[in-house]
Amino acid sequence: QESYARPKGRKIAKITVTKLDAARGQLHTAIRLWFEGGDPVAIHTLASAAHEIVHALFKKKGLKGLAFDPPYVKADKRQHWASALKKPANFFKHARNEDTGASYEFDPALSILMMSASCKGLMNIGEPISMEALALTYWMVFANPAAFGTSEEFRKHPKIQFIQQLAAKSRDVYFREFEEAYKTGVLVFGATNLGTPRAPHVWKIPR
């Protein structure tokens, strides 16, 4: 019987994937889909899967403060908080004994929380920061500047002003032009800290 996974006469090489590989792939795909206006259910399923892995790796290093255990949620409420955050992804992934006509009211903004938390987690455990993570982080900075409390030095940086001009465009155009600038060397990111103690994981500043 012919396999759909392995068409007759063709060899499909197996791949070896680590947990980090899986998390990065899921996260990067979720971010790309989000910028491109993709399906919100697919985005959230990928973002949640990535965050599950990143959260576990983060916790193993004795760290906390991602989406499931943020500092603004009291310790005795965190289990309930985490369970509530997991509900949409569980609904999307599992049928169990539910009626096939069951529905769920879902807020797509949760996907942004999961993706941002995963970016933070990967950076804070020392993983290289990806183009996708940088694009999302800077988009969030300019979408809600008051939440980040950026310094004047940061805001006046020529490359930061360039990214701000990109962020004034539509989401899909911003991402496409950010990626092009990254690939062509217009944006080469260093580690200069021009940021804020409230978000120390963010500031990879373009040279």
Side-chain angles (χ1 to χ4, degrees), residues 31-168:
I31 292 172
R32 284 181 173 274
L33 284 172
W34 183 80
F35 275 114
E36 293 165 2
D39 179 71
V41 171
I43 293 167
H44 190 74
T45 304
L46 288 164
S48 295
H51 183 268
E52 286 271 1
I53 296 173
V54 174
H55 174 78
L57 297 174
F58 201 68
K59 197 172 178 181
K60 278 187 177 180
K61 290 185 175 287
L63 302 170
K64 58 184 179 180
L66 299 185
F68 292 155
D69 56 356
Y72 50 81
V73 176
K74 292 182 179 179
D76 61 340
K77 303 290 185 184
R78 284 179 187 161
Q79 187 173 352
H80 176 75
W81 169 269
S83 296
L85 287 182
K86 292 176 183 179
K87 279 184 179 180
N90 287 337
F91 182 84
F92 300 149
K93 291 188 298 181
H94 306 296
R96 296 196 181 119
N97 297 320
E98 292 169 339
D99 188 327
T100 54
S103 61
Y104 187 89
E105 188 174 12
F106 163 60
D107 182 358
L110 287 176
S111 303
I112 302 172
L113 172 65
M114 295 293 190
M115 292 187 295
S116 297
S118 295
C119 291
K120 172 186 175 180
L122 288 172
M123 285 185 264
N124 283 2
I125 63 173
E127 288 300 305
I129 184 167
S130 66
M131 184 282 298
E132 291 86 353
L134 285 163
L136 179 67
T137 300
Y138 277 103
W139 176 269
M140 298 306 297
V141 166
F142 295 118
N144 191 13
F148 288 86
T150 53
S151 66
E152 186 176 357
E153 186 185 7
F154 175 86
R155 293 190 297 273
K156 287 184 175 180
H157 192 289
K159 292 295 178 70
I160 296 303
Q161 291 180 342
F162 171 75
I163 298 172
Q164 187 173 15
Q165 290 172 0
L166 296 184

